[in-house]
Amino acid sequence: MTMTEATTRRLDVPGATLTYDVHPGPSGAPALFLIGSPMGAAGFGSLVKHFTDRTIVTYDPRGSERSTKPDMTSPSTPDEHADDLHRIIGELGGGPVDLFASSGGATNALALVAKHPEDVRTLVAHEPPLASVLPDRENAQAAARAVHETYQRSGFGAGMAHFIAVVSHEGEFPDDIAQQPAPDPAMFGMPTEDDGDRTDPLMGQNIVSGTRYEPDFDALRAAPTRIVMAAGVESEGIMTSRAAFAVDERLGTELVIFPSDHGGFMGGEYGQTGEPDAFAAKLREVLTKA
């Protein structure tokens, strides 16, 4: 089945202008939203192709890629992102929709379900970077804050090198994690010069607020939404996987293991290649159980 060409739409919301894409499919099943944060719609190109049998919606979160806000250096919060998603769902006729959310998108999706449970039928929340739910939460949050500070002090290359070191760390973070020196950006092929820009949506806008966000577990447990926490088989031990397991334990649900790693659904987008075919098959299996 060939998917009809996507239409791109824009929506003015408080504090931002959002850009989202609607890939029309046969009517019947609820629309399927595929979201990340700060990763935008472009990261889901491979996954979209596996769901031509239903309408797919992707978007760029506020402050990322095509979605702008007046101050592109200001922080964005999961609650703001949740309200943005709620408004897009409303523009498309309201819920409930199905929602696959990865990384920061999974954090934002949990905020959406807590605030607007009627919006989502099934949420598959893949590896949210929720430092707040970990036993070593203070150290994990300090590590995220240190990445932000490195970025603000020294720019993109230094900040991204520090970010890679933090997200690759396995197990609990040590007490001195924030004092450990950031790696040389050249080790990762990152620029060593500071270009002066501070608008990066990951390290400038979302990393502190997103990792500090505390889910409303009472609201999540009370929601009619079927919540499925998910983690990659190759992600064992890293913060995002540990957080997925921690949220799952608090919710009393059954976590599902997906193929590959944190970007397992990607097929070359942003230079990352996971196992998109196997990932899509697993996602379809999980959604079909709804």
Side-chain angles (χ1 to χ4, degrees):
M1 185 181 296
T2 302
M3 179 173 283
T4 305
E5 186 174 350
T7 60
T8 296
R9 306 179 187 181
R10 288 178 176 80
L11 178 64
D12 290 328
V13 300
T17 298
L18 306 176
T19 300
Y20 63 102
D21 302 308
V22 180
H23 305 257
S27 60
L32 173 60
F33 277 58
L34 306 175
I35 70 168
S37 183
M39 188 185 75
F44 294 98
S46 296
L47 197 54
V48 164
K49 296 175 183 177
H50 289 274
F51 292 93
T52 57
D53 57 333
R54 61 196 298 180
T55 295
I56 302 295
V57 180
T58 56
Y59 92 124
D60 296 341
R62 62 169 58 211
S64 294
E65 301 192 24
R66 300 168 299 169
S67 291
T68 59
K69 55 184 185 177
D71 181 1
M72 295 288 281
T73 66
S74 64
S76 296
T77 69
D79 283 327
E80 288 175 325
H81 290 301
D83 289 340
D84 292 344
L85 289 163
H86 174 65
R87 289 185 174 93
I88 292 175
I89 292 170
E91 285 291 305
L92 296 174
V97 304
D98 288 341
L99 178 55
F100 169 75
S102 188
S103 194
T107 300
N108 302 338
L110 290 168
L112 171 66
V113 170
K115 298 182 73 174
H116 303 286
E118 72 284 354
D119 280 355
V120 185
R121 182 180 73 159
T122 297
L123 165 61
V124 181
H126 182 252
E127 298 197 15
L130 282 167
S132 62
V133 302
L134 300 177
D136 53 324
R137 57 178 288 165
E138 291 185 5
N139 292 346
Q141 289 170 348
R145 189 166 56 250
V147 171
H148 174 74
E149 291 170 353
T150 296
Y151 170 68
Q152 294 293 348
R153 182 172 59 251
S154 302
F156 178 83
M160 185 55 67
H162 200 166
F163 174 77
I164 292 171
V166 167
V167 298
S168 301
H169 180 86
E170 296 184 6
E172 294 192 3
F173 290 100
D175 292 341
D176 66 344
I177 184 67
Q179 285 72 52
Q180 293 182 9
D184 182 349
M187 292 173 54
F188 302 101
M190 300 291 172
T192 56
E193 297 296 321
D194 181 359
D195 64 4
D197 183 80
R198 294 297 183 272
T199 61
D200 182 75
L202 170 61
M203 296 177 290
Q205 300 177 39
N206 290 282
I207 193 168
V208 174
S209 60
T211 53
R212 292 183 63 86
Y213 175 76
E214 299 194 13
D216 184 340
F217 285 102
D218 288 339
L220 292 172
R221 283 188 288 264
T225 305
R226 173 178 172 245
I227 301 174
V228 180
M229 300 306 301
V233 66
E234 298 174 17
S235 299
E236 184 177 358
I238 66 171
M239 184 181 76
T240 53
S241 176
R242 294 169 55 221
F245 276 91
V247 172
D248 179 73
E249 182 177 2
R250 294 278 295 274
L251 292 177
T253 51
E254 186 175 348
L255 184 139
V256 175
I257 297 296
F258 272 68
S260 193
D261 55 16
H262 190 65
F265 53 89
M266 301 174 81
E269 295 89 347
Y270 302 106
Q272 299 185 49
T273 302
E275 299 177 31
D277 294 349
F279 197 102
K282 189 65 176 182
L283 178 57
R284 181 176 292 278
E285 175 189 324
V286 172
L287 292 172
T288 300
K289 291 180 180 179

